[in-house]
């Protein structure tokens, strides 16, 4: 007998709360991308997240909590800098890596002694946290390695049949996952660029932070893996994506999809639409998709990070095609 079930899209907070408290998984909106959520204190429920997404058990989840005040329930030795940033940016699209307290089960953090904590701003998620009174573990609501969903319909396409409910909170405000920032050693490190940029963070902290980037195999420096989820490839459409200097070189080729940002008036708008535009092109059966990187500053850093990972290092220059091996 098939264990597939009928997945319903709902706007009911009460249903979401019930599902979480019963130990089920549910997809829900955040201001960044949709998340696949479960009670972080319920190990069996958390295991369902990994199973459903086919996410490797070594890749830890973000724990979502209600307020800055709650941070110390789940993390210890919280540096003053975290509070400074949280006052400015939380609730919002930023995740802090901190020393974990025992209340967070090891399965949530993939056995690490650190925990990723985020205070989401989406009003529906806030209501759920207030009613459930438990921390909520949630990765993005896509199959592992695939494009993050930014609306309920896109979650449905990814996960239908695998969960009871998707909570519909409309289109996500930012469209790109949170900035992940680590306070584990002496230097503060951005492990994943996002809407809150290095410059903004440095301005608040009045000190330098390091942006950890994945280096190519040709690089002399070996990259330490600070974040198990910093895979070389990620966020990928099924259709191969190539990075190229000028997408219009491919305009005449009917079997090539162009990821065209020219109609957007800002990089924020590009970020908001990035995953959904890629998904639309992915559905059209092209032989491949081409995209160009954007200016590598501000939110452009996060956009280029996602494009690099989605392209898996594939580059097209004129008739030349190159595959860079990006090492973890
Ligand atoms: O905006 C977001 O952050 C969304 C929404 C749903 O909140 N969530 C999200 O989760 O993007 P996920 O699981 O797709 O990405 C979380 C990233 C992964 O790269 C993971 O490896 C990293 O955070 N991470 C989680 N816990 C960590 C830890 N203790 N140390 C280092 N990296 C960690
Ligand atoms: Mg993800």
């Amino acid at each position: 007998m098939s264990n597939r079930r009928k997945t319903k899209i709902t706007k009911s907070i009460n249903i979401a709360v019930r599902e979480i408290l019963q130990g089920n998984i549910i997809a829900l909106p955040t201001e960044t991308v949709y998340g696949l959520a479960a009670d972080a204190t319920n190990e069996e429920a958390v295991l369902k997240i990994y199973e459903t997404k086919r996410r490797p058990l070594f890749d830890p989840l973000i724990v979502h909590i209600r307020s800055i005040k709650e941070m110390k329930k789940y993390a210890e030795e919280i540096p003053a800098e975290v509070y400074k940033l949280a006052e400015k940016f939380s609730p919002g699209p930023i995740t802090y890596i901190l020393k974990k307290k025992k209340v967070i089960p090891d399965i949530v953090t993939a056995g690490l002694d650190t925990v990723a904590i985020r205070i989401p701003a989406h009003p529906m998620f806030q209501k759920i946290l207030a009613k459930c009174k438990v921390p909520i573990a949630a990765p993005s609501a896509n199959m592992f390695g695939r494009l993050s969903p930014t609306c309920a319909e896109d979650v449905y396409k990814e996960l239908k049949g695998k969960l009871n409910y998707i909570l519909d909170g409309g289109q996500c405000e930012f469209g790109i996952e949170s900035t992940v920032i680590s306070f584990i050693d002496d230097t503060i490190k951005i492990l994943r660029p996002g809407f809150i940029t290095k410059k903004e963070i440095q301005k608040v902290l009045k000190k330098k932070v390091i942006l950890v980037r994945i280096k190519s195999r040709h690089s002399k420096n070996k990259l330490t893996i600070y974040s198990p989820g910093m895979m070389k490839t990620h966020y990928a459409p099924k259709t191969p994506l190539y990075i190229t200097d000028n997408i219009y070189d491919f305009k005449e080729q009917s079997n090539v999809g162009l990821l065209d940002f020219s109609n957007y008036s800002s990089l924020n708008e590009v970020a908001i639409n990035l995953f959904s535009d890629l998904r639309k092109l992915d559905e059209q059966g092209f032989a491949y998709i081409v995209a160009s990187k954007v200016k590598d500053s501000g939110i452009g850093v996060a956009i280029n990070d996602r494009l690099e990972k989605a392209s898996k290092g594939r580059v097209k220059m004129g008739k030349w095609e190159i595959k860079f091996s990006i090492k973890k």
Side-chain angles (χ1 to χ4, degrees), residues 53 55 139-140 142 148 177 192 234-235:
K53 277 189 64 135
R55 181 179 178 115
S140 48
N142 48 277
S148 302
E177 303 83 353
R192 180 174 70 185
H234 222 109
Y235 315 112

Side-chain angles (χ1 to χ4, degrees), residues 78-145:
I78 305 173
E81 283 116 340
V82 172
Y83 287 110
K84 267 196 200 163
L85 288 180
E87 262 159 46
K88 176 101 178 142
F89 301 121
S90 297
I94 184 162
T95 299
Y96 311 96
I97 309 289
L98 301 166
K99 291 235 167 72
K100 129 177 157 55
K101 278 198 173 166
K102 283 208 178 71
V103 278
I104 300 295
D106 285 341
I107 186 165
V108 174
T109 61
L112 297 177
D113 55 8
T114 57
V115 59
I117 291 190
R118 175 158 116 75
I119 304 159
H122 196 289
M124 282 175 135
F125 203 166
Q126 274 289 334
K127 278 188 194 139
I128 291 169
L129 284 164
K131 288 194 175 191
C132 285
K133 298 191 173 62
V134 293
I136 292 180
S140 48
N142 48 277
M143 294 303 285
F144 182 69

Side-chain angles (χ1 to χ4, degrees), residues 249-258 281 284-288:
D249 290 345
F250 299 86
K251 213 167 126 197
E252 309 299 325
Q253 298 182 36
S254 60
N255 63 342
V256 181
L258 311 190
L281 288 171
Q284 288 176 48
F286 291 115
Y288 57 91

